[in-house]
Amino acid sequence: DIVMTQTPLSSPVTLGQPASISCRSSQSLVHSDGNTYLSWLQQRPGQPPRLLIYKISNRFSGVPDRFSGSGAGTDFTLKISRVEAEDVGVYYCMQATQFRYTFGQGTKLEIK
Amino acid sequence: EVQLVESGGGLVQPGGSLRLSCAASGFTFSSYSMNWVRQAPGKGLEWVSYISSSSSTIYYADSVKGRFTISRDNAKNSLYLQMNSLRAEDTAVYYCARMILGYYYMDVWGKGTTVTVSS
């Protein structure tokens, strides 16, 4: 199985400041069709996960443009340009390039 | 409104069985692949199982293979997870999530149903 490793596991951030989360896969996430099926999800406290980003850098419908994704191959990053109070929660990267799908351990974003 | 609603969770003894359901509404269920994802208390997300729109392709995590069975009834807009030989480590919130064929992302999630395996 592909192992997804996120860093940091915890990220205290000041409101209005940027935040960045890294996700590294144990092997390339480039699918045989040429696409890279890396997505990012947000889970607010007490809520189910919510899709933020798909195929590395595509923002899902309704996701604020302060969220952006980048990367290639085995290294990926989620950035929040200016953290807002509603961004508190746990962020997961997920690969769907290869069965079995796997998630990163999660990064807890909290406000300083 | 696009919605997924899980049900069927509860308290069950080790070795017991449980059948989870996921009712879909607001979209053409038969056009989407579906997944079960679980989250143990205080832990991260773990993918459990996948079923294609026509049920022709099914996958399981190693941790549940041989014990869990995923199925769907497109006429009833419903997804199921039959869980047998349950263990304490199966205790989790179980979410169903839809996936568009060819896009490989989970865009709609249910609120989850809680399964507790304990004597």
Side-chain angles (χ1 to χ4, degrees):
Chain A
D1 292 1
I2 297 177
V3 177
M4 306 296 287
T5 303
Q6 288 182 227
T7 53
L9 297 183
S10 178
S11 180
V13 183
T14 302
L15 286 174
Q17 293 301 302
S20 180
I21 300 170
S22 174
C23 176
R24 178 167 290 179
S25 57
S26 60
Q27 57 188 273
S28 174
L29 296 187
V30 179
H31 193 273
S32 56
D33 66 9
N35 290 303
T36 300
Y37 297 110
L38 184 283
S39 56
W40 289 94
L41 301 106
Q42 175 197 60
Q43 188 174 32
R44 291 171 172 152
Q47 297 294 314
R50 167 199 178 201
L51 178 67
L52 295 177
I53 302 283
Y54 63 94
K55 287 204 297 184
I56 302 177
S57 59
N58 295 273
R59 258 189 316 275
F60 187 60
S61 173
V63 175
D65 60 8
R66 64 179 182 275
F67 290 93
S68 64
S70 63
T74 61
D75 287 288
F76 307 93
T77 303
L78 175 71
K79 292 183 179 177
I80 309 174
S81 59
R82 293 172 306 279
V83 170
E84 298 188 4
E86 65 177 19
D87 300 335
V88 165
V90 181
Y91 292 78
Y92 297 91
C93 59
M94 190 204 94
Q95 70 80 20
T97 291
Q98 181 187 108
F99 282 108
R100 305 151 186 84
Y101 298 157
T102 44
F103 293 90
Q105 320 96 298
T107 295
K108 187 173 185 178
L109 185 75
E110 49 196 5
I111 306 300
K112 277 185 189 174
Chain B
E1 181 193 0
V2 174
Q3 200 171 10
L4 295 171
V5 179
E6 302 92 338
S7 60
L11 174 63
V12 61
Q13 292 188 335
S17 298
L18 215 51
R19 189 195 195 207
L20 305 184
S21 299
C22 170
S25 59
F27 64 99
T28 305
F29 180 69
S30 59
S31 296
Y32 291 82
S33 302
M34 297 296 296
N35 293 270
W36 286 100
V37 176
R38 68 184 180 183
Q39 186 169 35
K43 302 296 184 182
L45 301 171
E46 179 189 15
W47 171 80
V48 172
S49 185
Y50 163 96
I51 186 167
S52 62
S53 56
S54 64
S55 303
S56 59
T57 302
I58 287 175
Y59 292 105
Y60 298 98
D62 283 347
S63 56
V64 306
K65 198 169 187 178
R67 300 187 299 121
F68 289 12
T69 301
I70 191 171
S71 63
R72 65 189 295 162
D73 185 335
N74 286 342
K76 294 183 177 180
N77 293 329
S78 293
L79 173 73
Y80 306 102
L81 187 67
Q82 177 67 43
M83 304 187 296
N84 299 329
S85 304
L86 283 161
R87 306 166 180 166
E89 53 265 35
D90 296 318
T91 294
V93 175
Y94 285 73
Y95 299 101
C96 61
R98 82 172 191 181
M99 177 176 270
I100 303 176
L101 183 66
Y103 285 82
Y104 301 105
Y105 57 79
M106 300 183 198
D107 66 333
V108 178
W109 295 65
K111 290 184 172 14
T113 187
T114 301
V115 173
T116 303
V117 184
S118 175
S119 54

